[in-house]
């Protein structure tokens, strides 16, 4: 996944979003499984009136800034007072021992590296964290410390909730920041995994760019060719065999299930009924039948 | 089938072309050329422009005319045609475009610098791609209409077919139209297994399509923007999207929308609603979050072969469990295959180990091969979720898989993985020769009461049979097998061998078999079909065991275990058969004695007629052929030929010719013919007099030039099939196995029902084989018809060793009534005038009359000068065209000689219109340069196939060895002159047999003179070398004898 970098360095921190307003206008927040999981972690500990008000704040622009520095997310949220409240959310960095055991767990399952490398956020990660007694998503006060300058005694208050939602949506686009909050970036994780696999560092040779992407050599126009064979098809056509009845599997299955759902359904499953309809129609265009 | 009247006015030739312009991606354009040339480049003065000026194409067909022609084919359906104009560069010479129907001229002239690409403006009509898809099958009817289909259009029929095929094979996925919009479309997926075909399709695109797509602009000239690859790519993409969209607007697929869905979801969804055709109108562009689009794109790109290109491909190898191992788990092991050296495959274990030499080679340019490998596995797991189980370790090398899951891996997952660019190595028993269950059919010898009265079988005789099923060499009863198939497992091990099958399909098929033969008996025809195809549907192989007796004999013959016994040719046969001919006769005899119909389809010139006559004599003498007459049905043009062949080879047979105005009818006919051995009639009379003909129970019915019944719907074809006959034989020289409509009609005449109904045959064989080059369907059909069709070709030296290099054959043609009337009138006039005049005057009268008689034999128009030249007015031309048809069908080339220059010109035009291809012409007025060009073009491999030469111009020194057929339409009387002409083809450099066809109008002076030459009578010596002067010295009586029309000279008009 090409994570779009909309953070920017500005002095002493990283702005996560310039104008932190939720894009989602109604309903749940977070489209990807990890951000949904992140929201769930919040919703398991918060009470619903505060959460829904927090969500409204996140949508109506009450969160005026949000930035990240050294494991701390700091945000300003406008409330009933003239000065905005300050919300801080501190994720606990895992120490090197904890990371070691997480990386060990990851290295033990090639599927995690396989998915990370092919641009996915592996669902198997959660299980790895759990197996070493940690959690990728904040689950307890140990993991995450939140505070707000508002007078509400409850934690999370609506301001904290608002920031949470903003973060969740941001994770949609930047899943690997979840690692960052725990003290390690995606590249660092991949590096560590690479070391675990024992691929000798010394053999690293920078990949040469041989212009492989220039797929086909540019074909130039040759008037001689035109004059010689302007009207005729190539002889290849005589041996061109059609394969209407070769094995046929809906190509969408190649994509596997979609990484998101719509209306609780996988998009691939929603679209698959299109295939037999199209197949039948296309065969109908050919005057052929197969009774044998 | 819709026949289009292609000749627009007079004898205009129209060629229809097609092109696709990526600038108007949802339209397809047609344009046309006619031989009706108008305009040209006006000469201009002044400064030469930077780029050539655009001029109207002189041969363009107007948009209205194009529409009229196309609508004729589409049956007037309401297609929205758009008229337009296009400018494109065409090869041109002398300020005129070279037309597509003179391509060979272009081919030879490249060497000359006189040709250049010049821009021409022409009219187009276009329709949208949806209309094009609807028009698709009907466009094929253009081939049988009067217009010529240009290669450009033929090309696009392939491209449309390919697009439709991709949809039929479900090779398309959703995608966003472009990065700027959230408009989803369906786009084709070209898998690695289709890559080669796709590239060859792009490579076959005629330059004209490229030229038209790029257009021409007077300011910038010809700009080469779109290469064939791009044009095809854009077309297939648009076409696939269109076909899927059309399918869904036909049958929308409901997209499940839950009421509880959140707004953001609904918005995202609305973007996909359009894809399914349901609520397509509700689609509105939505702003999806960039994250969501990126996520969708990542997901979608997993399906195309767009993974990062590594040095190697990841492979999966399916490995069987050890034979004696306890563990019966299968393994899918992982390997890495070098891209540039596919034979180098190393197991994944090595990637996890310290490096070896191969390693270094394979990974020399990759920094982290294991990461590339893992990324590949990450892609693969989306397609094959089961793979995740194998990746739960640190260094994955294999996946264990249950036997129960193997079948779906083999049949569904592995093709998907292959399409996604992975290599899948499967056990040989799956891909190469998937072992199928075998139906063992054990027919019992027929009981007496089931055979027909005569003791012979017919195609419909019923045979009782038992059957069992064998799998992996083990035999099961049907019940046992059903039990086996009932197990959910689709993979069983029988005697140490794995056999995979789709148990659902196999049970369905077996039930279908049981239903079909519910009473345990099978018709002989069906049994033979099972034997020849050795298959029942796709699921079963079939083995038929031999019950001995006659059925056993038939089966043995079909299998080639035995050959038909060589029969004896009685000495009533006045001639000698070559060995292959004796084989043919024995084969005819064998099949027809068993009550089976046979088609002898030997190449023209191999002597089908003498084979049949020898067969007839032998059967009359040695078999129990009923004493009733034999009916020969042939085209009118060769009735005389048959009569003469019977007289020559079987003078002992009595022949009755049923034709002419005073022909017998009803009982009178039945009575009349009962005294004869053979009755000859024509197809049209067989149809007209069918009730009369059906009064006789014929011993044998023979169709000569059986392609005359090719259209099974015509009355003529239907009538012929009703004629009662003990034996049925078809003779034809066309390659029946390639003309599938014809093949069905002939087979249905010979062995009714064998190829099924025409409707199912058309769908299962005709269209797949002819239109889509389906090799499997073609092979199956060839197997089925194999036992009933014997076709030998001249070039097959292993069968035909003793064929002379030059075969001369006389072709006796029948006059039309018009010809006969004119002929008779001319004869009468001449004889009267000859009686009344003397000396030089008499000589003049006779000479001019002889010339006129010869011209009348060629074509009445040469005499009447009424200008209406068509082939049906001349029996000779009818026959000539029938024979040229065969020549062209066999991919041969022919020279046609005549002694009349104007007739040569007329012939060229007639032939060009008839065969829709270029016909070369050479006569006295042809310039030296044009002559050389014509010869060179004829000799080139893909050059024109027909060449008309006036004999006088048929100059010495021409080398026309590309031809292997020489026709002499009229006779020169001087064999030396004819031979000299013939030698244009039959000379050094000729590698094929040359067939010389001397066309003679039966019953006319042509035949008389031919007979004289043949018998080398005294007169003949005078004839040779002396032109026609000798006629003038004959007495009027002698003259009458020579020129009078004999009774069988003409057919019905």
């Amino acid at each position: 996944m090409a994570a779009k970098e909309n953070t920017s360095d500005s002095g002493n921190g990283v702005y996560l979003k310039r104008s932190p307003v939720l894009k989602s206008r109604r309903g749940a927040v977070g489209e990807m499984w990890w951000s949904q999981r992140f929201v769930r972690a919040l919703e398991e500990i918060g009470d619903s009136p505060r959460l829904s008000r927090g969500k409204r704040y996140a949508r109506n622009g009450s969160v005026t800034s949000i930035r990240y520095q050294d494991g701390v997310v700091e945000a300003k949220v406008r409330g009933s007072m003239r000065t905005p409240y300050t919300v801080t959310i501190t994720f606990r960095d895992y120490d090197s021992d904890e990371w070691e055991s997480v990386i060990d767990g990851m290295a033990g399952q090639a599927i995690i590296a396989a998915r990370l490398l092919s641009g996915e956020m592996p669902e198997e990660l959660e299980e790895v964290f759990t197996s070493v007694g940690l959690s990728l998503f904040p689950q307890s006060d140990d993991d995450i410390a939140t505070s707000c300058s508002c007078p509400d005694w409850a934690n999370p208050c609506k301001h904290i909730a608002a920031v949470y939602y903003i973060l969740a949506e941001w994770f949609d686009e930047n899943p690997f920041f979840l690692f960052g909050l725990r003290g390690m970036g995606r590249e660092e994780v991949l590096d560590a995994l690479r070391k675990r696999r024992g691929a000798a560092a010394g053999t690293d040779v920078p990949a040469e760019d041989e212009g492989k992407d220039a797929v086909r050599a540019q074909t130039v126009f040759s008037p001689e060719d035109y004059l010689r064979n302007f009207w005729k098809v190539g002889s290849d056509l005589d041996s061109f065999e059609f394969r209407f009845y070769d094995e046929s599997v809906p190509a969408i299955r190649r994509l596997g299930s979609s990484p998101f759902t719509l209306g609780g359904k996988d998009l691939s499953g929603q679209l698959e009924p299109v295939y037999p309809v199209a197949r039948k129609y296309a065969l109908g265009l050919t005057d052929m039948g197969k009774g044998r | 089938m819709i026949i289009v009247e292609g000749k627009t006015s007079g004898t205009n030739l129209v060629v229809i072309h097609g092109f696709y312009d990526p600038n108007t991606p949802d339209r397809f354009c047609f344009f046309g050329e006619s031989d009706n040339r108008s305009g040209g480049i006006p000469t201009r003065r002044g400064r030469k422009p930077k780029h050539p000026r655009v001029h109207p194409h002189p041969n363009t067909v107007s948009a209205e005319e194009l529409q009229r022609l196309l609508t004729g084919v589409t049956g007037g359906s309401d297609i929205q045609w758009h008229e337009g104009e296009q400018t494109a560069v065409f090869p041109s010479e002398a300020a005129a475009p070279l037309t597509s129907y003179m391509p060979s001229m272009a081919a030879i002239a490249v060497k000359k610098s006189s040709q250049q690409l010049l821009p021409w403006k022409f009219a187009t009509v276009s329709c949208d791609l949806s209309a094009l898809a609807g028009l698709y099958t009907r466009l094929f009817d253009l081939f049988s209409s009067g217009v010529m289909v240009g290669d450009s259009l033929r090309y696009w029929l392939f491209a449309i077919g390919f697009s439709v095929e991709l949809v039929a094979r479900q090779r398309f996925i959703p995608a966003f139209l472009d990065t700027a919009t959230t408009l989803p479309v369906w786009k084709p997926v070209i898998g690695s297994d289709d890559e080669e075909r796709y590239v060859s399709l792009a490579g076959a695109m005629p330059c004209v399509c490229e030229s038209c797509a790029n257009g021409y602009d007077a300011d910038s000239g010809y700009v080469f923007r779109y290469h064939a690859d791009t044009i095809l790519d854009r077309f297939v993409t648009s076409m696939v999207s269109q076909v899927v969209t059309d399918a869904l607007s036909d049958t929308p697929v409901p997209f499940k929308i839950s009421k509880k869905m959140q707004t953001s979801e609904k918005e995202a969804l609305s973007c996909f609603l359009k894809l399914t055709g349901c609520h397509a109108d509700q689609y509105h562009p939505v702003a999806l979050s960039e994250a969501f689009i990126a996520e969708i794109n990542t997901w979608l790109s997993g399906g195309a072969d767009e993974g990062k290109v590594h040095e190697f491909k990841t492979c999966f190898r399916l490995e069987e469990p050890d034979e004696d191992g306890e563990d019966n788990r299968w393994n899918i092991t992982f390997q890495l295959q070098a891209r540039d050296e596919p034979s180098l495959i190393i197991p994944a274990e090595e990637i996890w180990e310290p490096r070896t030499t191969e390693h270094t080679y394979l990974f020399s340019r990759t920094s982290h091969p294991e990461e590339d490998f893992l990324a590949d596995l990450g892609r693969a797991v989306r397609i094959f979720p089961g793979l995740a189980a194998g990746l739960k370790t640190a260094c994955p090398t294999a996946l264990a898989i249950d036997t129960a899951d193997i079948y779906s891996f083999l049949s569904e997952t592995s093709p998907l993985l292959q399409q996604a660019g992975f290599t899948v190595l499967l056990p040989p028993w799956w891909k190469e020769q998937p072992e199928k269950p075998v139906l063992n059919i054990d027919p019992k010898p027929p009981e007496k009461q089931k055979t027909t009265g005569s003791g012979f079988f017919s195609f419909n005789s019923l045979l009782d049979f038992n059957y069992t099923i064998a799998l992996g060499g083990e035999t099961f009863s049907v019940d046992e097998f059903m039990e086996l198939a009932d197990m959910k497992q689709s993979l069983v091990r029988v005697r140490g061998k794995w056999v995979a099958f789709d148990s659902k399909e196999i049970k369905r098929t077996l039930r279908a078999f049981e239903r079909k033969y519910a009473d345990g008996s099978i018709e002989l025809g069906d049994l033979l079909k099972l034997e020849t195809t050795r298959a029942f549907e796709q699921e079963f192989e079939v083995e038929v065991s031999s019950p001995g007796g006659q059925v056993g004999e038939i089966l043995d013959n079909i299998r080639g275990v035995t050959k038909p016994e060589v029969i004896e040719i009685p000495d009533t046969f006045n001639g000698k058969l070559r060995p292959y001919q004796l084989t043919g006769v024995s084969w005819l005899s064998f099949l027809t004695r068993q009550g089976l119909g046979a088609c002898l389809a030997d190449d023209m010139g191999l002597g089908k007629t003498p084979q049949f006559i020898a067969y007839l004599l032998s059967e009359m003498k040695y078999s129990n052929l009923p004493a009733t007459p034999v009916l020969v049905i042939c085209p009118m043009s060769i009735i005389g030929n048959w009569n003469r062949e019977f007289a020559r080879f079987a003078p002992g047979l009595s022949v009755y010719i049923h034709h002419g105005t005073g022909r017998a009818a009803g009982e009178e006919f039945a009575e009349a013919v009962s005294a004869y051995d053979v009755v000859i009639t024509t197809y049209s009379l067989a149809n007209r007099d069918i009730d009369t003909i059906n009064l006789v129970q014929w011993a044998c019915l023979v169709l000569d030039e059986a392609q005359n019944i090719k259209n099974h719907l015509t009355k003529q074809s239907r009538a012929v099939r009703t004629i009662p006959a003990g034996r049925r034989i078809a003779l034809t020289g066309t390659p029946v196995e390639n003309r599938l409509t014809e093949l069905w009609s002939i087979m249905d005449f010979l062995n009714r029902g064998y190829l099924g109904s025409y409707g199912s045959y058309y769908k299962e064989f005709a269209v797949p084989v002819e239109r889509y080059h389906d090799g499997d369907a073609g092979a199956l059909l060839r197997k089925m018809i194999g036992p009933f069709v014997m076709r030998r070709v001249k070039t097959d030296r292993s069968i035909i060793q003793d064929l002379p290099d030059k075969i001369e054959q006389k072709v006796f043609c029948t006059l039309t009534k018009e010809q006969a009337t004119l002929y008779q009138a001319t004869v009468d006039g001449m004889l009267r005038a000859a009686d009344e005049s003397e000396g030089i005057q008499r000589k003049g009268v006779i000479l001019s009359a002889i010339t006129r008689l010869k011209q009348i034999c060629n074509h009445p128009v040469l005499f009447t000068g009424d200008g209406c030249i068509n082939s049906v007015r001349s029996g000779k031309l009818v026959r000539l065209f029938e024979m040229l048809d065969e020549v062209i069908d066999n991919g041969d080339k022919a020279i046609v000689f005549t002694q009349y220059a104007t007739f040569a010109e007329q012939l060229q035009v007639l032939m060009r219109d008839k065969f829709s291809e270029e016909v070369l012409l050479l006569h006295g007025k042809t310039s030296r340069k044009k002559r050389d060009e014509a010869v060179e073009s004829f000799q080139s491999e893909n050059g024109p196939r027909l060449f008309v030469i006036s004999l006088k111009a048929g100059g010495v020194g021409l080398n026309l060895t590309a031809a292997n057929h020489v026709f002499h339409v009229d006779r020169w009387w001087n064999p030396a002159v004819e031979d000299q002409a013939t030698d244009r083809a039959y000379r050094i450099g000729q590698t094929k047999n040359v067939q010389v066809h001397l066309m003679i109008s039966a019953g006319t002076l042509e035949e008389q003179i031919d007979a004289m030459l043949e018998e080398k009578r005294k007169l003949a010596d005078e004839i040779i070398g002396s032109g026609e002067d000798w006629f003038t010295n004959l007495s009027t009586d002698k003259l009458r004898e020579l020129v009078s029309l004999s009774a069988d000279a003409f057919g019905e008009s």
Side-chain angles (χ1 to χ4, degrees), chain A residues 28 108 110 194 226 254 275 279, chain B residues 168 172 189 262 303 371 383 393:
Chain A
R194 197 174 296 141
Y226 272 38
R254 289 168 57 181
Y275 285 81
R279 172 177 170 78
Chain B
F172 53 92
V189 177
Q262 297 155 20
E371 269 182 18
I383 300 167
T393 72

Side-chain angles (χ1 to χ4, degrees), chain A residues 1 4 28 107-108 110-111 114 120 173 194 226 233-234 240-241 243 248 251 254-256 263 275 279 285 292, chain B residues 137 151 165 168-170 172 189 197 204 210 222 262 265 290-291 303 371 382-383 391-394 764 773:
Chain A
M1 164 136 188
K4 192 163 179 291
I111 185 136
E120 279 182 77
E173 295 175 37
R194 197 174 296 141
Y226 272 38
V233 292
F240 189 91
E241 274 193 32
R243 298 180 184 157
S248 167
R254 289 168 57 181
L255 307 180
Y275 285 81
R279 172 177 170 78
L285 290 178
R292 50 180 205 270
Chain B
T137 53
D151 259 15
E165 183 207 296
R169 281 166 68 211
Q170 312 183 71
F172 53 92
V189 177
R197 282 193 314 148
E210 224 175 60
Y222 183 63
Q262 297 155 20
E265 280 190 291
E290 281 175 35
E371 269 182 18
R382 286 185 215 149
I383 300 167
L391 305 183
K392 299 261 172 189
T393 72
E764 288 172 34
H773 303 174

Side-chain angles (χ1 to χ4, degrees), chain A residues 66 99 105 164 173 181 228 234 272 274 286-287 289:
Chain A
I66 180 164
W99 266 118
Y164 237 102
E173 295 175 37
L181 290 175
R228 194 173 305 118
E272 201 171 312
V274 164
T286 66
D287 281 353

Side-chain angles (χ1 to χ4, degrees), chain B residues 812-874:
Chain B
F812 291 97
C813 312
T814 319
L815 295 184
T816 60
K817 202 165 181 180
E818 181 192 8
Q819 282 177 299
T821 313
L822 287 172
Y823 187 100
Q824 194 57 53
T826 309
V827 167
D828 293 347
M830 172 183 85
L831 293 176
R832 209 167 33 242
D835 255 353
E836 289 164 5
S837 56
E838 282 181 356
I840 195 93
Q841 199 193 356
R842 182 175 187 271
K843 196 169 168 172
V845 164
I846 292 176
L847 278 180
S848 74
I850 295 290
T851 302
R852 264 178 283 146
L853 289 178
K854 282 168 67 184
Q855 288 180 331
I856 290 165
C857 288
N858 278 359
H859 199 287
V861 80
L862 295 176
F863 177 78
T864 61
D866 60 8
C868 175
I869 181 129
N870 64 25
S871 63
V872 293
R873 288 174 67 189
S874 157

